[in-house]
Amino acid sequence: MKRLSKKSTNKKNGNKKPGNKHFPTNQEILEFLKNSSGRVGKKEIARAFKLDSKQKLTLKKILSEMKLNGIIGKGRKRQIYELDTLPTVTILKVIEPDKDGDLMASPETWESNKFPPKIYLVPNKVRTNTPGFGERILARLTPAENGTYEARIIRSLATAPKQILGIFEIIDGKNRIRSIDRRSKSDFIAETPNTLDAKHGDIVRAVPLPGKTLGLRKVRIIECFKVDKVKKNPSLIAILDNDLPTKFSDEAIRQASKATSAPTNGRVDLRNIPLVTIDGTDARDFDDAVWAEMDTDKHNMNGWHLLVAIADVAWYVRPGDALDKNAYERGNSVYFPDQVVPMLPEALSNGWCSLNPKEDRPCIAVHLWIDSEGNLKNHQFCRGIMRSHARLNYIQVQEARNGNCDKITRPLLETVIKPLFGAYDSLLKNRKKRGVLELETPERKVQFENNGEVRDISISKRLDSHKLIEEIMILANVAAAKTLEKNKMHCLYRVHDEPSKEKLENLRKVLKSVKFSFDRGGILSTKRFNQVLKLSKGSPYAEMINVIILRSQSKAIYTTKNLGHFGLALNQYIHFTSPIRRYADLLTHRALINTMELNKNILEDDEQNLERKGEHLSFTERRATEAERDSIDRFTAHFFAEQIGEIFQGYINGITRFGLFITLKGTGADGLVPIRTITNDYYYHEETLQMLKGKKTGHEFRLGDEVNVRLVEASQHTGGLVFNLNDMKKSRQKSKSKIKKFKLRSKEYKSL
């Protein structure tokens, strides 16, 4: 038998080259896409699996089916990628930074049903300008840890924000608008004919003009906000930047101006009880008054009877009226260092709804009976009429307790102030027993000169008088929640859920890196966090542990679902005590009035409608918090503008791949040390351990580390501070000796 030659065999089979008999499965194709570092197209897949011409046709059909079924996607230049992943080169849109300040981006197109992965923008040494919010960029992606990506910018793509809010300036006779967005330091050219008579220093809103231009983008001013005094800039910018409603409707103003005293018929007369208000020295609206006495019930020895009276805002603001619509839109009052954007017009917020001293006011009051351990034994709500016997401030009350009475507090010491502190001591026992999360959250306070200039930035002191009011208000809020639950009323709970599993796992890793343990087993409780905080006191890690535990917590929200309040260690909690400044409290008042059957015409919200309101009020609260922080940041930058080059002591409160966030001691001011300025080594970011680590030296920057920094920039437009590390070698030696001393002193900190 004649043997066929290899050549004749190939000819007979119709193939010049032998193909791969095994055709790849869909999973094998996906594995290849996942493990490939470069650009992958149909050609690269065929080459990898050694496919012949017929198999290549089959591959084309298979890839089309996989795309149709949502398994893969196709990007630029026919690049193929797994749909739940991203191609190596793609178009991204810059979004807001995460909670640690890292600049983030999202894919412009994402076809998967899953959430897109986190994408961190890595600074480009060649690129000088940081991309702004909403900017489109072409970027090269590299997979990182935990399914995240690092993006390196190739180039910016033609785009522009819809609107620009900035400061109008005249530089060398030319009109410029300097953006107030700290994520975008670009300037813009203002169109000359239509500047709306803007003057240097005014705040303007502008829109980009169409067409491509070289250099700075041209814009047209559409709104101009006149600024008379420099001190008004920070708050006004925060108001405009966060779109806070500031004008009440004409009907709401008319309604507020026509308000009069509430009738006393049907109300419990509380005017002879010496209720007092205790607030800050600069407070203008007073929505809560308190009083206490020893309980006379022989079955409650050493117990206390408290009375909390809250302004009856529901009498003046009825569901669906103009005042109600305006209040709901705002959601809450917003407090800036120099002004307030109130939830209600001044005629109500500082007038008929404010518990001003020596004036009759309608109220919703609750009697509270607690035992010697601070446990709530009984409570009773009523709709009453009260008269504040004195307007006190926290410092006055604290001084009175310390034995330094003034002419106002002296006659109230025995009848009001001492009993309040007696009840407070019992409430503290209950707080400790529950295990309330004891985190330190310092607040900055801006102090002004008479001419409006910033005199000082400091950390507000927490006095026992502050804590007294806080504990009594918490007790009243719990009583409100219990009452509404008992009566099966729909209501908005103030919910603080326990930390997520992901955040807890990250917390464990960071704690483990500094020899603290936080076991996975057992029931999660605030007491476990408090134990870590207690053991860390006196250690070099105390600041760091306080920060990471704070950041591991969930955000508090309003919802109809009672998930409890984790931070306060309470099974049910609701907001009741501040209806002048929080709409959620007004909803609670209306529900309580219905339970007391005092006003049948207040319609009850159904659960679905209440849930929608809860989402809105959670949003307005976040918006207010952001605006308040923005304003304080800009006032702080004003204060530090004259201190460029000076050296400050601080500690690291945040670590990102872009640098270190520093909080200064004494003032609480925050700023950034860019990573590019730390030149003694190449530092890489270990996200799970919350640290920067030097590649050569092994030197670590951790949360809570004390540092000396030099101020190099204070932007009054954006409120941003930029620092450089000062004498880093000395700081490193000091840090090492401090850790060594700590380890020799105590071993109990190493675990729980």
Side-chain angles (χ1 to χ4, degrees), residues 165-311:
L165 185 68
I167 309 296
F168 182 82
E169 295 182 346
I170 301 174
I171 302 174
D172 297 331
K174 297 180 180 179
N175 299 330
R176 294 283 188 271
I177 297 176
R178 180 159 295 176
S179 172
I180 56 90
D181 188 345
R182 69 181 62 186
R183 298 180 295 270
S184 174
K185 296 183 179 180
S186 299
D187 286 357
F188 300 88
I189 298 175
E191 189 183 38
T192 303
N194 300 305
T195 59
L196 301 185
D197 197 31
K199 299 292 188 296
H200 188 90
D202 286 345
I203 301 170
V204 296
R205 200 185 299 275
V207 293
L209 293 175
K212 295 182 179 180
T213 58
L214 295 175
L216 300 180
R217 180 175 289 273
K218 292 183 179 180
V219 297
R220 177 171 57 85
I221 297 174
I222 58 173
E223 280 185 286
C224 178
F225 307 92
K226 297 294 181 181
V227 178
D228 297 325
K229 297 180 181 178
V230 175
K231 70 173 185 177
K232 292 184 178 179
N233 269 5
S235 298
L236 180 56
I237 290 173
I239 289 168
L240 296 171
D241 196 26
N242 290 277
D243 293 323
L244 295 179
T246 57
K247 294 182 179 179
F248 291 100
S249 67
D250 293 340
E251 181 57 33
I253 295 294
R254 279 194 296 270
Q255 188 180 333
S257 65
K258 292 179 180 179
T260 58
S261 59
T264 58
N265 295 340
R267 292 182 178 271
V268 178
D269 194 342
L270 304 171
R271 287 174 288 189
N272 290 329
I273 298 176
L275 287 153
V276 297
T277 61
I278 305 175
D279 297 273
T281 55
D282 54 353
R284 294 178 62 193
D285 52 63
F286 317 113
D287 49 13
D288 56 82
V290 293
W291 169 81
E293 67 174 356
M294 286 286 293
D295 192 358
T296 56
D297 188 346
K298 64 181 180 179
H299 298 294
N300 190 25
M301 296 296 293
N302 299 319
W304 297 91
H305 168 216
L306 298 98
L307 180 62
V308 178
I310 308 298

Side-chain angles (χ1 to χ4, degrees), residues 294-549:
M294 286 286 293
D295 192 358
T296 56
D297 188 346
K298 64 181 180 179
H299 298 294
N300 190 25
M301 296 296 293
N302 299 319
W304 297 91
H305 168 216
L306 298 98
L307 180 62
V308 178
I310 308 298
D312 190 356
V313 176
W315 173 259
Y316 294 99
V317 183
R318 306 296 175 89
D321 66 15
L323 282 171
D324 184 59
K325 291 176 181 177
N326 280 213
Y328 175 70
E329 179 191 15
R330 294 165 186 239
N332 41 254
S333 298
V334 187
Y335 293 86
F336 298 112
D338 60 337
Q339 60 182 286
V340 178
V341 178
M343 187 181 80
L344 299 172
E346 189 173 344
L348 292 182
S349 60
N350 296 348
W352 290 111
C353 290
S354 184
L355 306 182
N356 298 328
K358 312 301 181 184
E359 296 180 10
D360 290 355
R361 288 290 183 267
C363 65
I364 304 291
V366 57
H367 292 273
L368 304 158
W369 289 270
I370 61 173
D371 62 20
S372 60
E373 298 297 310
N375 299 302
L376 181 61
K377 305 294 290 183
N378 194 14
H379 61 276
Q380 182 179 352
F381 283 88
C382 67
R383 208 172 193 185
I385 192 82
M386 56 84 65
R387 174 185 283 249
S388 171
H389 284 233
R391 179 265 194 267
L392 306 178
N393 63 60
Y394 294 116
I395 297 174
Q396 267 183 309
V397 173
Q398 190 65 50
E399 285 294 309
R401 190 195 192 191
N402 296 342
N404 303 315
C405 292
D406 58 24
K407 63 180 181 180
I408 298 176
T409 56
R410 188 171 293 110
L412 299 170
L413 182 63
E414 297 297 329
T415 57
V416 178
I417 296 174
K418 282 187 176 180
L420 282 172
F421 275 104
Y424 167 65
D425 289 338
S426 294
L427 290 173
L428 278 185
K429 295 176 185 177
N430 186 266
R431 178 185 176 93
K432 186 176 181 180
K433 180 182 176 182
R434 296 198 320 268
V436 175
L437 190 57
E438 302 291 354
L439 287 168
E440 295 180 10
T441 52
E443 295 183 3
R444 283 176 288 171
K445 183 176 182 180
V446 182
Q447 298 175 18
F448 296 97
E449 301 284 5
N450 292 332
N451 63 359
E453 294 295 332
V454 179
R455 180 174 73 248
D456 192 23
I457 307 287
S458 60
I459 301 295
S460 298
K461 291 182 179 180
R462 286 269 293 164
L463 305 173
D464 283 344
S465 54
H466 288 98
K467 299 173 186 176
L468 177 152
I469 294 299
E470 182 180 292
E471 289 303 313
I472 294 176
M473 294 305 119
I474 289 172
L475 184 67
N477 287 336
V478 170
K482 287 180 178 291
T483 298
L484 295 180
E485 251 187 28
K486 181 181 178 181
N487 287 274
K488 298 181 180 179
M489 297 289 293
H490 294 310
C491 59
L492 278 182
Y493 291 97
R494 179 62 169 179
V495 165
H496 180 230
D497 204 357
E498 63 182 35
S500 66
K501 291 180 180 179
E502 182 184 9
K503 287 183 176 181
L504 284 176
E505 188 58 35
N506 289 337
L507 174 64
R508 287 189 188 98
K509 289 177 181 178
V510 178
L511 290 175
K512 185 179 179 181
S513 72
V514 290
K515 311 303 181 185
F516 283 79
S517 66
F518 195 86
D519 295 334
R520 289 186 176 87
I523 298 173
L524 183 65
S525 71
T526 50
K527 292 180 180 179
R528 292 176 65 187
F529 290 107
N530 286 339
Q531 194 174 5
V532 179
L533 291 165
K534 182 179 178 181
L535 292 176
S536 69
K537 280 188 176 179
S539 80
Y541 309 116
E543 287 280 6
M544 177 195 77
I545 289 174
N546 188 83
V547 171
I548 61 172
I549 289 180

Side-chain angles (χ1 to χ4, degrees), residues 478-699:
V478 170
K482 287 180 178 291
T483 298
L484 295 180
E485 251 187 28
K486 181 181 178 181
N487 287 274
K488 298 181 180 179
M489 297 289 293
H490 294 310
C491 59
L492 278 182
Y493 291 97
R494 179 62 169 179
V495 165
H496 180 230
D497 204 357
E498 63 182 35
S500 66
K501 291 180 180 179
E502 182 184 9
K503 287 183 176 181
L504 284 176
E505 188 58 35
N506 289 337
L507 174 64
R508 287 189 188 98
K509 289 177 181 178
V510 178
L511 290 175
K512 185 179 179 181
S513 72
V514 290
K515 311 303 181 185
F516 283 79
S517 66
F518 195 86
D519 295 334
R520 289 186 176 87
I523 298 173
L524 183 65
S525 71
T526 50
K527 292 180 180 179
R528 292 176 65 187
F529 290 107
N530 286 339
Q531 194 174 5
V532 179
L533 291 165
K534 182 179 178 181
L535 292 176
S536 69
K537 280 188 176 179
S539 80
Y541 309 116
E543 287 280 6
M544 177 195 77
I545 289 174
N546 188 83
V547 171
I548 61 172
I549 289 180
L550 176 62
R551 291 180 180 171
S552 71
Q553 302 305 304
S554 301
K555 290 186 180 298
I557 60 170
Y558 294 108
T559 177
T560 57
K561 302 173 183 63
N562 182 17
L563 304 177
H565 198 293
F566 182 77
L568 293 176
L570 292 168
N571 293 326
Q572 66 262 97
Y573 194 65
I574 201 168
H575 273 165
F576 155 72
T577 56
S578 298
I580 293 177
R581 62 185 181 89
R582 289 191 306 230
Y583 190 87
D585 300 54
L586 175 58
L587 292 176
T588 300
H589 277 229
R590 289 171 178 168
L592 286 169
I593 290 168
N594 274 340
T595 65
M596 292 183 281
E597 299 182 341
L598 295 177
N599 195 338
K600 291 289 188 180
N601 65 358
I602 293 183
L603 299 176
E604 182 185 355
D605 281 301
D606 60 43
E607 189 171 2
Q608 185 177 1
N609 192 36
L610 260 184
E611 187 65 29
R612 179 179 58 80
K613 288 182 177 180
E615 292 173 358
H616 170 72
L617 297 177
S618 297
F619 160 74
T620 60
E621 180 187 48
R622 291 193 300 271
R623 179 179 66 182
T625 301
E626 186 70 25
E628 290 167 354
R629 185 167 55 241
D630 284 354
S631 175
I632 292 176
D633 283 346
R634 288 188 171 89
F635 277 117
T636 302
H638 275 270
F639 177 69
F640 279 98
E642 303 298 323
Q643 303 178 61
I644 302 297
E646 294 192 20
I647 296 171
F648 301 91
Q649 286 187 326
Y651 63 89
I652 299 172
N653 80 344
I655 298 177
T656 74
R657 61 196 69 217
F658 302 130
L660 307 171
F661 284 96
I662 308 297
T663 296
L664 301 186
K665 293 185 177 181
T667 63
D670 294 318
L672 175 69
V673 174
I675 196 170
R676 66 177 182 274
T677 65
I678 310 174
T679 56
N680 70 324
D681 199 352
Y682 174 80
Y683 286 87
Y684 59 92
H685 181 221
E686 291 196 9
E687 183 179 9
T688 55
L689 299 181
Q690 291 287 293
M691 60 182 280
L692 288 181
K693 189 170 184 177
K695 189 173 183 180
K696 295 178 181 178
T697 62
H699 174 58

Side-chain angles (χ1 to χ4, degrees), residues 59-69 72 74:
L59 175 65
K60 184 177 181 181
K61 293 179 181 178
I62 293 295
L63 293 177
S64 297
E65 289 175 2
M66 290 175 72
K67 184 177 186 300
L68 191 64
N69 292 329
I72 62 171
K74 290 187 177 181

